[in-house]
Amino acid sequence: MAVDQRLAGKVAIVTGAGSRSIPGADGEAEGVGNGRATAVVLARHGARVTLVDRNPDWLARTQAMIEAEDGVSLAVLADVTLAADCARIVRETVRSWGRLDILVNNVGIGGPPGTAVEVDIEAWDRAMRVNVTSMVLMAKYAIPEMIAGGGGSIVNVASYAGLFGGHPSLLYPTSKGAVVNMTRAMAAHHAADRIRVNAVAPGMVYTPMVRAPGMTEELREARRSRSLLKVEGEAWDVAYGVLYLAGDESRWVTGIVLPVDAGASAAPSASPRRGSNAGTVPEPG
């Protein structure tokens, strides 16, 4: 594919690089979530990419998509909630390619439903480890390798839900809000090491993560209506936001949270309130 090679010579890790299939009337179609799209886009622009996921089939499909475009990737089956696995991911990356320049912390789940009164606390703890602690663990082992190479870029995947209240559950916006301020704190901690740390905050992106059995055309339209542009987003939109923050074009940018949300965060009062049809709309993937 004839695209610019702005990331040539760079090595990246993308967690959650697999993606589930999307069930439909004619069988299952290939799904493209934020992690898969990001891995493909970074490889398309010249990076060598370590793909991380717990599902070997999803991982293999992402790798096949990259290979189809003559990209270079390494698949690592791992659980990023485990410190030993995170260390191994970084170790295998550096052993394969000699350096690490980019880390994309993409893994995240919706987590348990409910308010503070209703939520299952054991499920809360598990989900916080997936959505927040995993990013800390990956950074813990990635940052020393970036320092050894003269710097790097970390991109954390947050969410529109981490910027505002109004979500029907407590876990998801709490965890994504933690990612927002974790990003700012990391940026301050590691700027002297020439490591930039930024986040993307996807809005109502239509990905396999949010396509549930109850997702109707009416609900999809409600999601589209929660933005200024009234256009449904795709994982590729998020991936190109990550590409900007990962590359040298953003060399003077650190500590920011980039909304990729068709303007929803620019005018949140224009979005349907909780209790309207949009109140039951699944949050971003």
Side-chain angles (χ1 to χ4, degrees):
M1 181 172 291
V3 297
D4 70 85
Q5 297 294 290
R6 70 182 74 176
L7 299 181
K10 304 282 190 184
V11 173
I13 294 173
V14 179
T15 68
S19 186
R20 70 193 72 189
S21 299
I22 299 177
D26 299 324
E28 291 192 341
E30 194 63 59
V32 178
N34 294 336
R36 174 171 286 172
T38 295
V40 170
V41 166
L42 296 185
R44 183 179 293 166
H45 288 269
R48 292 166 287 179
V49 184
T50 296
L51 313 171
V52 181
D53 207 285
R54 294 193 306 172
N55 187 305
D57 295 332
W58 297 355
L59 205 56
R61 180 55 190 145
T62 303
Q63 189 165 40
M65 291 175 69
I66 290 172
E67 289 175 353
E69 296 185 0
D70 297 323
V72 179
S73 65
L74 168 71
V76 178
L77 199 63
D79 181 347
V80 292
T81 68
L82 302 176
D85 278 19
C86 293
R88 177 170 57 85
I89 292 163
V90 173
R91 188 167 60 247
E92 292 188 19
T93 298
V94 174
R95 184 167 58 224
S96 295
W97 293 316
R99 60 184 298 117
L100 176 59
D101 304 284
I102 298 162
L103 169 63
V104 181
N105 278 317
N106 169 70
V107 166
I109 59 175
T115 65
V117 175
E118 303 158 343
V119 69
D120 181 300
I121 294 301
E122 289 187 3
W124 169 283
D125 288 343
R126 289 193 298 271
M128 288 295 285
R129 189 163 184 90
V130 174
N131 286 8
V132 183
T133 306
S134 70
M135 297 190 182
V136 178
L137 287 172
M138 285 302 306
K140 178 180 180 67
Y141 297 105
I143 286 170
E145 296 298 339
M146 290 181 175
I147 292 172
S153 174
I154 298 174
V155 184
N156 299 319
V157 178
S159 172
Y160 171 95
L163 304 176
F164 301 96
H167 193 283
S169 296
L170 184 63
L171 181 283
Y172 190 76
T174 300
S175 65
K176 291 302 184 178
V179 171
V180 166
N181 274 327
M182 179 183 70
T183 296
R184 293 169 177 150
M186 280 187 176
H189 292 162
H190 303 292
D193 300 318
R194 302 191 66 80
I195 295 172
R196 298 180 301 104
V197 188
N198 295 290
V200 292
M204 295 291 110
V205 182
Y206 190 63
T207 67
M209 180 177 172
V210 300
R211 176 161 178 164
M215 176 60 74
T216 65
E217 286 304 313
E218 181 182 15
L219 288 178
R220 286 184 72 178
E221 180 57 36
R223 286 166 57 87
R224 281 190 287 268
S225 296
R226 290 181 67 174
S227 71
L228 297 182
L229 296 180
K230 304 292 190 289
V231 174
E232 186 173 69
E234 300 176 341
W236 302 108
D237 299 309
V238 178
Y240 279 102
V242 174
L243 175 65
Y244 166 66
L245 293 174
D248 291 341
E249 291 82 2
S250 60
R251 70 178 188 89
W252 213 48
V253 177
T254 195
I256 74 156
V257 179
L258 175 65
V260 183
D261 63 3
S265 57
S269 62
S271 299
R273 297 287 197 272
R274 184 179 177 182
S276 69
N277 286 340
T280 58
V281 177
E283 280 301 328

